[in-house]
Amino acid sequence: MSQSSKLILAIFSFFCIISCKSQNRTVNASSTAVVVLSDTTFVNLKDYSEDFIYDMKYATSDNFLKAQVYDCAECFLRLKTVTALVEANKKFIKKGYRIKLFDCYRPLDIQKKMWTIVSNPEYVANPAKGSIHNRGGAVDITLVDSSGKELEMGTGFDFFGIEAGHNYTNLSQNIKDNRILLKSVMMESGFNPFNSEWWHYNLKEGLNDKVSNVKWECN
């Protein structure tokens, strides 16, 4: 074989190797699927952070209904609500506190069950309209300190009286400060307060989502 033929063969072999490697990289890249969730997808909060405390009241009978209406205690929310809540909790953690959750997303069937037990729109949202809880954009929360003790908020969760409202002022300065801390950080993180309930917050971006009856599995 002549020198020129050997040179041509070497060049051809070089480009063949480069081409094969390039094709192999392309195949490998395309075989790795990236799943991108919509921000309205329902997800479990515990899959996104381990920094929350849970006391899911409606999975017990320790609530104003005096009845367990959830089969098990899980905090599902739309992904965008989870994202905002995790960011809010990071801010609280820097201040020495953490969020404790009482209620999250509530399937419409559960809302109907609650309405059957207490058919009073002052206490339970009429399922005919649904609530932000049914849309996956609401949370009922308080704060705990580094030892897990709840901060004083003036009333307990689901206390239905004027004392639970944000505009009620006949409170100690410590309680006022605790409510202001909770409210200010939540609002900074994209949530709106509910005037008559210091514990209830709605994600601003979730107000127009559809009422849902998506249910979670109990393990």
Side-chain angles (χ1 to χ4, degrees):
M1 182 180 293
S2 66
Q3 283 297 114
S4 60
S5 298
K6 289 180 180 179
L7 179 61
I8 292 171
L9 181 60
I11 293 172
F12 176 79
S13 299
F14 172 78
F15 281 108
C16 191
I17 292 170
I18 294 298
S19 176
C20 290
K21 286 185 177 180
S22 175
Q23 289 177 18
N24 188 49
R25 284 198 297 270
T26 302
V27 170
N28 289 340
S30 63
S31 65
T32 305
V34 177
V35 178
V36 179
L37 296 178
S38 164
D39 64 3
T40 59
T41 303
F42 283 100
V43 296
N44 196 331
L45 177 60
K46 71 181 182 183
D47 292 333
Y48 290 80
S49 174
E50 297 180 352
D51 294 325
F52 292 88
I53 305 297
Y54 298 89
D55 183 12
M56 306 300 287
K57 292 295 189 182
Y58 299 118
T60 73
S61 58
D62 181 23
N63 55 64
F64 79 101
L65 299 169
K66 306 301 179 186
Q68 178 183 340
V69 292
Y70 292 154
D71 291 332
C72 59
E74 295 289 354
C75 178
F76 276 79
L77 294 161
R78 298 209 189 253
L79 179 57
K80 59 187 174 182
T81 311
V82 164
T83 301
L85 194 64
V86 169
E87 289 306 308
N89 203 33
K90 288 178 181 179
K91 295 174 185 176
F92 286 123
I93 290 172
K94 289 181 179 179
K95 298 176 183 291
Y97 306 103
R98 285 198 288 172
I99 291 175
K100 183 175 186 176
L101 293 129
F102 298 126
D103 196 21
C104 300
Y105 161 65
R106 185 186 305 155
L108 187 60
D109 279 351
I110 302 298
Q111 191 72 33
K112 292 176 180 177
K113 186 185 295 187
M114 293 172 70
W115 183 255
T116 299
I117 298 170
V118 178
S119 303
N120 186 333
E122 292 186 11
Y123 304 129
V124 179
N126 190 327
K129 296 181 178 180
S131 74
I132 307 301
H133 278 295
N134 306 141
R135 292 172 166 81
V139 288
D140 293 336
I141 62 175
T142 192
L143 295 175
V144 298
D145 62 20
S146 58
S147 65
K149 182 181 178 181
E150 291 183 19
L151 272 60
E152 288 288 334
M153 293 294 182
T155 76
F157 165 66
D158 266 0
F159 175 86
F160 298 104
I162 60 171
E163 295 86 352
H166 285 285
N167 297 324
Y168 186 75
T169 59
N170 188 20
L171 301 165
S172 71
Q173 190 58 49
N174 180 57
I175 291 172
K176 290 179 182 178
D177 291 344
N178 291 342
R179 289 191 182 188
I180 290 171
L181 171 63
L182 179 60
K183 183 178 180 180
S184 61
V185 173
M186 290 301 288
M187 290 185 72
E188 286 174 8
S189 304
F191 291 85
N192 283 329
F194 190 61
N195 284 339
S196 62
E197 300 175 355
W198 60 259
W199 57 83
H200 182 108
Y201 286 88
N202 298 323
L203 184 71
K204 294 177 186 178
E205 294 183 8
L207 298 177
N208 295 321
D209 288 330
K210 294 181 179 179
V211 168
S212 175
N213 198 37
V214 169
K215 297 183 179 68
W216 58 82
E217 293 184 4
C218 293
N219 296 321

